Amino acid sequence: MVKEIRPLGWVVLAVLVIDTVLLAALELFFLPLRLDGTLLPLAGWIPVPVTVLVAVLTTPLLVSSAGRLVHPRAAFAPLVVWVLTVLALGLFGPGGDQVLIQDWRALLLLAGGALPAAMALGGSLAVKPERKRP
């Protein structure tokens, strides 16, 4: 028996997708933060990819929430939207600027957002096999 998505489920999915786009944009724009004394304390210009930690925590949460609240097959939407938003804004950002910095922090952001979310997606799609009746 296939569970269909209710109309309220579409609203919940839209809210989760909008939240995904906003989080991906903020994680991308604040990726170059440094301990330079302006916004964060002064500690020798050390790069601090705090937004990677945010991505590690929020993307799996969004994926599992979509799978639990909407439909197990809808769980892929936040992951796909997050990756597309980071790549689109990062490579073709506002005004044609390249926002995705070209160093280890960009790779860390992509891995930190996509890998835990992919694991959560696998957990959402995992279904107990039905027992066949004799």
Short mmCIF file of all heavy atoms in Angstrom, two decimals, residues 23-35 39-40 45-56 82 86-87 89-91 98-113:
data_model
loop_
_atom_site.label_atom_id
_atom_site.label_comp_id
_atom_site.label_asym_id
_atom_site.label_seq_id
_atom_site.Cartn_x
_atom_site.Cartn_y
_atom_site.Cartn_z
N LEU A 23 19.26 28.08 4.77
CA LEU A 23 20.41 27.56 5.51
C LEU A 23 21.62 27.37 4.60
O LEU A 23 22.75 27.69 4.98
CB LEU A 23 20.05 26.24 6.19
CG LEU A 23 19.31 26.36 7.51
CD1 LEU A 23 18.76 25.02 7.94
CD2 LEU A 23 20.22 26.93 8.57
N ALA A 24 21.40 26.87 3.40
CA ALA A 24 22.52 26.68 2.47
C ALA A 24 23.16 28.01 2.11
O ALA A 24 24.39 28.12 2.04
CB ALA A 24 22.04 25.96 1.21
N ALA A 25 22.35 29.03 1.89
CA ALA A 25 22.89 30.36 1.55
C ALA A 25 23.68 30.93 2.72
O ALA A 25 24.80 31.45 2.54
CB ALA A 25 21.75 31.30 1.17
N LEU A 26 23.16 30.84 3.94
CA LEU A 26 23.88 31.36 5.10
C LEU A 26 25.16 30.57 5.36
O LEU A 26 26.19 31.16 5.69
CB LEU A 26 22.98 31.32 6.33
CG LEU A 26 21.86 32.36 6.35
CD1 LEU A 26 20.94 32.14 7.54
CD2 LEU A 26 22.44 33.75 6.38
N GLU A 27 25.10 29.26 5.21
CA GLU A 27 26.30 28.45 5.42
C GLU A 27 27.38 28.81 4.40
O GLU A 27 28.57 28.84 4.72
CB GLU A 27 25.95 26.97 5.32
CG GLU A 27 25.13 26.47 6.47
CD GLU A 27 24.38 25.20 6.18
OE1 GLU A 27 24.52 24.64 5.08
OE2 GLU A 27 23.63 24.75 7.08
N LEU A 28 26.97 29.08 3.19
CA LEU A 28 27.92 29.43 2.14
C LEU A 28 28.51 30.82 2.34
O LEU A 28 29.72 31.03 2.22
CB LEU A 28 27.24 29.33 0.78
CG LEU A 28 28.09 29.58 -0.44
CD1 LEU A 28 29.18 28.53 -0.54
CD2 LEU A 28 27.23 29.57 -1.67
N PHE A 29 27.67 31.80 2.67
CA PHE A 29 28.13 33.18 2.79
C PHE A 29 29.00 33.40 4.03
O PHE A 29 29.87 34.26 4.03
CB PHE A 29 26.96 34.15 2.80
CG PHE A 29 26.26 34.24 1.47
CD1 PHE A 29 24.92 34.51 1.40
CD2 PHE A 29 26.95 34.04 0.29
CE1 PHE A 29 24.27 34.60 0.18
CE2 PHE A 29 26.31 34.13 -0.94
CZ PHE A 29 24.98 34.40 -0.99
N PHE A 30 28.77 32.64 5.10
CA PHE A 30 29.57 32.80 6.31
C PHE A 30 30.71 31.79 6.40
O PHE A 30 31.38 31.71 7.43
CB PHE A 30 28.69 32.71 7.56
CG PHE A 30 27.85 33.94 7.77
CD1 PHE A 30 26.50 33.93 7.51
CD2 PHE A 30 28.44 35.10 8.22
CE1 PHE A 30 25.74 35.07 7.69
CE2 PHE A 30 27.69 36.24 8.41
CZ PHE A 30 26.33 36.23 8.14
N LEU A 31 30.97 31.04 5.36
CA LEU A 31 32.06 30.07 5.36
C LEU A 31 33.43 30.72 5.52
O LEU A 31 34.29 30.18 6.21
CB LEU A 31 32.02 29.24 4.07
CG LEU A 31 33.01 28.09 3.97
CD1 LEU A 31 32.77 27.08 5.09
CD2 LEU A 31 32.89 27.41 2.62
N PRO A 32 33.70 31.92 4.95
CA PRO A 32 35.04 32.50 5.09
C PRO A 32 35.33 33.20 6.42
O PRO A 32 36.29 33.95 6.51
CB PRO A 32 35.10 33.52 3.95
CG PRO A 32 33.91 33.36 3.14
CD PRO A 32 32.93 32.58 3.93
N LEU A 33 34.52 33.00 7.45
CA LEU A 33 34.76 33.66 8.74
C LEU A 33 36.17 33.36 9.26
O LEU A 33 36.67 32.26 9.13
CB LEU A 33 33.75 33.19 9.79
CG LEU A 33 32.39 33.84 9.77
CD1 LEU A 33 31.52 33.25 10.86
CD2 LEU A 33 32.49 35.33 9.94
N ARG A 34 36.79 34.37 9.85
CA ARG A 34 38.13 34.23 10.43
C ARG A 34 38.13 34.84 11.83
O ARG A 34 37.33 35.72 12.13
CB ARG A 34 39.17 34.96 9.58
CG ARG A 34 39.37 34.35 8.23
CD ARG A 34 40.47 35.09 7.49
NE ARG A 34 40.78 34.44 6.24
CZ ARG A 34 41.62 33.44 6.10
NH1 ARG A 34 42.27 32.98 7.13
NH2 ARG A 34 41.85 32.91 4.93
N LEU A 35 39.06 34.38 12.65
CA LEU A 35 39.25 34.96 13.98
C LEU A 35 40.13 36.19 13.83
O LEU A 35 41.31 36.20 14.17
CB LEU A 35 39.90 33.94 14.91
CG LEU A 35 39.05 32.72 15.25
CD1 LEU A 35 39.86 31.70 16.02
CD2 LEU A 35 37.82 33.11 16.02
N LEU A 39 34.42 40.30 13.68
CA LEU A 39 33.18 39.65 14.07
C LEU A 39 33.41 38.62 15.17
O LEU A 39 32.66 38.52 16.11
CB LEU A 39 32.54 38.99 12.84
CG LEU A 39 31.18 38.36 13.02
CD1 LEU A 39 30.18 39.40 13.48
CD2 LEU A 39 30.71 37.74 11.73
N LEU A 40 34.48 37.88 15.04
CA LEU A 40 34.87 36.89 16.03
C LEU A 40 36.09 37.41 16.79
O LEU A 40 36.75 38.35 16.34
CB LEU A 40 35.21 35.57 15.33
CG LEU A 40 34.05 34.90 14.59
CD1 LEU A 40 34.55 33.68 13.85
CD2 LEU A 40 32.93 34.52 15.53
N TRP A 45 44.02 35.37 12.75
CA TRP A 45 43.47 35.17 11.40
C TRP A 45 43.26 33.70 11.05
O TRP A 45 43.45 33.28 9.92
CB TRP A 45 44.37 35.83 10.36
CG TRP A 45 44.35 37.30 10.46
CD1 TRP A 45 45.05 38.07 11.33
CD2 TRP A 45 43.57 38.20 9.69
NE1 TRP A 45 44.76 39.38 11.15
CE2 TRP A 45 43.85 39.49 10.13
CE3 TRP A 45 42.66 38.03 8.66
CZ2 TRP A 45 43.25 40.62 9.60
CZ3 TRP A 45 42.07 39.14 8.12
CH2 TRP A 45 42.36 40.42 8.59
N ILE A 46 42.88 32.90 12.00
CA ILE A 46 42.66 31.47 11.76
C ILE A 46 41.28 31.27 11.12
O ILE A 46 40.29 31.79 11.64
CB ILE A 46 42.73 30.68 13.09
CG1 ILE A 46 44.09 30.87 13.73
CG2 ILE A 46 42.42 29.22 12.88
CD1 ILE A 46 44.18 30.35 15.14
N PRO A 47 41.18 30.55 10.01
CA PRO A 47 39.87 30.26 9.42
C PRO A 47 39.05 29.37 10.34
O PRO A 47 39.56 28.39 10.87
CB PRO A 47 40.19 29.53 8.12
CG PRO A 47 41.63 29.70 7.90
CD PRO A 47 42.27 30.02 9.20
N VAL A 48 37.81 29.74 10.55
CA VAL A 48 36.91 28.99 11.43
C VAL A 48 35.66 28.63 10.64
O VAL A 48 34.74 29.44 10.53
CB VAL A 48 36.52 29.81 12.68
CG1 VAL A 48 35.62 29.00 13.58
CG2 VAL A 48 37.75 30.26 13.42
N PRO A 49 35.60 27.43 10.06
CA PRO A 49 34.41 27.05 9.29
C PRO A 49 33.26 26.58 10.20
O PRO A 49 32.91 25.42 10.24
CB PRO A 49 34.92 25.93 8.39
CG PRO A 49 36.08 25.35 9.12
CD PRO A 49 36.66 26.45 9.94
N VAL A 50 32.71 27.52 10.96
CA VAL A 50 31.62 27.22 11.88
C VAL A 50 30.38 26.75 11.11
O VAL A 50 29.63 25.90 11.60
CB VAL A 50 31.29 28.48 12.73
CG1 VAL A 50 30.01 28.31 13.50
CG2 VAL A 50 32.43 28.79 13.65
N THR A 51 30.21 27.26 9.93
CA THR A 51 29.01 26.90 9.16
C THR A 51 29.03 25.45 8.71
O THR A 51 27.98 24.89 8.41
CB THR A 51 28.84 27.82 7.94
OG1 THR A 51 30.00 27.71 7.12
CG2 THR A 51 28.64 29.25 8.37
N VAL A 52 30.19 24.82 8.69
CA VAL A 52 30.25 23.39 8.38
C VAL A 52 29.56 22.61 9.49
O VAL A 52 28.81 21.67 9.22
CB VAL A 52 31.71 22.93 8.19
CG1 VAL A 52 31.79 21.42 8.06
CG2 VAL A 52 32.32 23.60 6.98
N LEU A 53 29.79 23.01 10.72
CA LEU A 53 29.11 22.36 11.84
C LEU A 53 27.60 22.56 11.75
O LEU A 53 26.83 21.64 12.03
CB LEU A 53 29.65 22.91 13.17
CG LEU A 53 29.07 22.32 14.44
CD1 LEU A 53 29.34 20.82 14.51
CD2 LEU A 53 29.63 23.02 15.65
N VAL A 54 27.19 23.75 11.34
CA VAL A 54 25.75 24.00 11.15
C VAL A 54 25.20 23.08 10.06
O VAL A 54 24.11 22.50 10.20
CB VAL A 54 25.50 25.49 10.80
CG1 VAL A 54 24.05 25.73 10.47
CG2 VAL A 54 25.94 26.37 11.95
N ALA A 55 25.94 22.91 8.97
CA ALA A 55 25.50 22.04 7.88
C ALA A 55 25.43 20.58 8.33
O ALA A 55 24.49 19.85 7.98
CB ALA A 55 26.43 22.18 6.69
N VAL A 56 26.41 20.15 9.11
CA VAL A 56 26.43 18.77 9.61
C VAL A 56 25.22 18.49 10.48
O VAL A 56 24.66 17.39 10.45
CB VAL A 56 27.74 18.49 10.38
CG1 VAL A 56 27.66 17.21 11.18
CG2 VAL A 56 28.91 18.44 9.42
N TRP A 82 19.68 21.44 -1.14
CA TRP A 82 20.86 21.97 -0.46
C TRP A 82 22.07 21.95 -1.38
O TRP A 82 22.79 22.94 -1.51
CB TRP A 82 21.14 21.19 0.83
CG TRP A 82 22.24 21.78 1.63
CD1 TRP A 82 22.14 22.76 2.57
CD2 TRP A 82 23.64 21.45 1.55
NE1 TRP A 82 23.39 23.05 3.08
CE2 TRP A 82 24.32 22.27 2.47
CE3 TRP A 82 24.37 20.55 0.80
CZ2 TRP A 82 25.69 22.20 2.66
CZ3 TRP A 82 25.73 20.48 0.98
CH2 TRP A 82 26.37 21.31 1.90
N VAL A 86 23.95 25.33 -2.84
CA VAL A 86 25.36 25.61 -2.55
C VAL A 86 26.15 25.73 -3.86
O VAL A 86 26.96 26.65 -4.02
CB VAL A 86 25.96 24.53 -1.63
CG1 VAL A 86 27.47 24.62 -1.57
CG2 VAL A 86 25.39 24.65 -0.23
N LEU A 87 25.91 24.83 -4.80
CA LEU A 87 26.65 24.90 -6.06
C LEU A 87 26.24 26.10 -6.91
O LEU A 87 27.08 26.79 -7.48
CB LEU A 87 26.48 23.60 -6.84
CG LEU A 87 27.16 22.38 -6.23
CD1 LEU A 87 26.88 21.14 -7.06
CD2 LEU A 87 28.65 22.60 -6.10
N LEU A 89 24.71 29.02 -5.94
CA LEU A 89 25.14 30.28 -5.33
C LEU A 89 26.66 30.37 -5.24
O LEU A 89 27.22 31.45 -5.37
CB LEU A 89 24.55 30.43 -3.93
CG LEU A 89 23.14 30.95 -3.82
CD1 LEU A 89 22.71 31.00 -2.36
CD2 LEU A 89 23.00 32.31 -4.45
N GLY A 90 27.30 29.24 -5.03
CA GLY A 90 28.75 29.25 -4.89
C GLY A 90 29.48 29.53 -6.18
O GLY A 90 30.49 30.23 -6.20
N LEU A 91 28.99 28.98 -7.27
CA LEU A 91 29.67 29.15 -8.55
C LEU A 91 29.15 30.32 -9.37
O LEU A 91 29.90 30.94 -10.12
CB LEU A 91 29.58 27.86 -9.36
CG LEU A 91 30.23 26.64 -8.71
CD1 LEU A 91 30.00 25.40 -9.56
CD2 LEU A 91 31.71 26.88 -8.48
N GLN A 98 31.95 34.51 -7.73
CA GLN A 98 32.15 33.16 -7.25
C GLN A 98 32.29 33.23 -5.72
O GLN A 98 33.30 33.70 -5.20
CB GLN A 98 33.38 32.54 -7.87
CG GLN A 98 33.52 31.09 -7.55
CD GLN A 98 34.66 30.44 -8.31
OE1 GLN A 98 35.44 31.11 -8.96
NE2 GLN A 98 34.77 29.14 -8.20
N VAL A 99 31.26 32.76 -5.02
CA VAL A 99 31.21 32.86 -3.56
C VAL A 99 31.88 31.66 -2.90
O VAL A 99 32.44 31.78 -1.82
CB VAL A 99 29.74 32.98 -3.09
CG1 VAL A 99 29.65 33.08 -1.58
CG2 VAL A 99 29.07 34.17 -3.74
N LEU A 100 31.85 30.52 -3.54
CA LEU A 100 32.43 29.31 -2.98
C LEU A 100 33.95 29.43 -3.03
O LEU A 100 34.56 29.44 -4.10
CB LEU A 100 31.98 28.08 -3.77
CG LEU A 100 32.24 26.72 -3.17
CD1 LEU A 100 31.55 26.59 -1.82
CD2 LEU A 100 31.78 25.63 -4.09
N ILE A 101 34.56 29.58 -1.86
CA ILE A 101 36.00 29.79 -1.80
C ILE A 101 36.73 28.52 -2.24
O ILE A 101 36.25 27.42 -2.03
CB ILE A 101 36.43 30.22 -0.38
CG1 ILE A 101 35.91 29.24 0.67
CG2 ILE A 101 35.97 31.61 -0.09
CD1 ILE A 101 36.30 29.59 2.06
N GLN A 102 37.88 28.71 -2.85
CA GLN A 102 38.59 27.58 -3.44
C GLN A 102 39.70 27.08 -2.51
O GLN A 102 40.89 27.27 -2.77
CB GLN A 102 39.16 27.99 -4.78
CG GLN A 102 38.10 28.36 -5.77
CD GLN A 102 38.67 28.82 -7.09
OE1 GLN A 102 39.86 28.79 -7.31
NE2 GLN A 102 37.80 29.24 -7.97
N ASP A 103 39.29 26.47 -1.42
CA ASP A 103 40.25 25.83 -0.53
C ASP A 103 39.54 24.70 0.22
O ASP A 103 38.45 24.28 -0.14
CB ASP A 103 40.92 26.84 0.42
CG ASP A 103 39.97 27.48 1.41
OD1 ASP A 103 38.77 27.18 1.37
OD2 ASP A 103 40.43 28.29 2.24
N TRP A 104 40.16 24.21 1.28
CA TRP A 104 39.67 23.05 2.01
C TRP A 104 38.32 23.28 2.67
O TRP A 104 37.58 22.34 2.91
CB TRP A 104 40.71 22.61 3.03
CG TRP A 104 41.06 23.68 4.03
CD1 TRP A 104 42.03 24.62 3.90
CD2 TRP A 104 40.45 23.91 5.30
NE1 TRP A 104 42.06 25.44 5.01
CE2 TRP A 104 41.10 25.02 5.89
CE3 TRP A 104 39.41 23.30 6.00
CZ2 TRP A 104 40.75 25.52 7.13
CZ3 TRP A 104 39.07 23.81 7.24
CH2 TRP A 104 39.73 24.89 7.79
N ARG A 105 38.00 24.55 2.97
CA ARG A 105 36.72 24.81 3.65
C ARG A 105 35.53 24.53 2.75
O ARG A 105 34.48 24.09 3.22
CB ARG A 105 36.68 26.25 4.15
CG ARG A 105 37.67 26.49 5.27
CD ARG A 105 37.75 27.93 5.64
NE ARG A 105 38.45 28.65 4.58
CZ ARG A 105 38.63 29.95 4.55
NH1 ARG A 105 38.16 30.69 5.52
NH2 ARG A 105 39.28 30.52 3.57
N ALA A 106 35.67 24.75 1.44
CA ALA A 106 34.58 24.45 0.51
C ALA A 106 34.33 22.95 0.44
O ALA A 106 33.17 22.50 0.46
CB ALA A 106 34.90 25.01 -0.87
N LEU A 107 35.39 22.18 0.36
CA LEU A 107 35.24 20.72 0.35
C LEU A 107 34.64 20.22 1.66
O LEU A 107 33.80 19.31 1.68
CB LEU A 107 36.58 20.05 0.10
CG LEU A 107 37.17 20.25 -1.28
CD1 LEU A 107 38.56 19.65 -1.35
CD2 LEU A 107 36.27 19.65 -2.32
N LEU A 108 35.07 20.83 2.76
CA LEU A 108 34.54 20.45 4.06
C LEU A 108 33.05 20.78 4.17
O LEU A 108 32.28 20.00 4.73
CB LEU A 108 35.33 21.15 5.16
CG LEU A 108 35.17 20.63 6.58
CD1 LEU A 108 35.63 19.19 6.68
CD2 LEU A 108 35.96 21.51 7.54
N LEU A 109 32.64 21.92 3.61
CA LEU A 109 31.22 22.27 3.62
C LEU A 109 30.40 21.30 2.79
O LEU A 109 29.35 20.83 3.23
CB LEU A 109 31.01 23.70 3.10
CG LEU A 109 29.55 24.15 2.99
CD1 LEU A 109 28.92 24.26 4.37
CD2 LEU A 109 29.44 25.46 2.24
N LEU A 110 30.87 20.98 1.59
CA LEU A 110 30.13 20.04 0.74
C LEU A 110 30.04 18.66 1.37
O LEU A 110 28.98 18.03 1.38
CB LEU A 110 30.77 19.96 -0.64
CG LEU A 110 30.59 21.20 -1.51
CD1 LEU A 110 31.45 21.10 -2.75
CD2 LEU A 110 29.14 21.37 -1.88
N ALA A 111 31.14 18.18 1.93
CA ALA A 111 31.13 16.87 2.57
C ALA A 111 30.32 16.88 3.86
O ALA A 111 29.56 15.95 4.13
CB ALA A 111 32.56 16.41 2.85
N GLY A 112 30.46 17.95 4.63
CA GLY A 112 29.76 18.03 5.91
C GLY A 112 28.26 18.20 5.76
O GLY A 112 27.51 17.82 6.65
N GLY A 113 27.82 18.75 4.66
CA GLY A 113 26.39 18.88 4.44
C GLY A 113 25.78 17.69 3.73
O GLY A 113 24.69 17.24 4.06
#
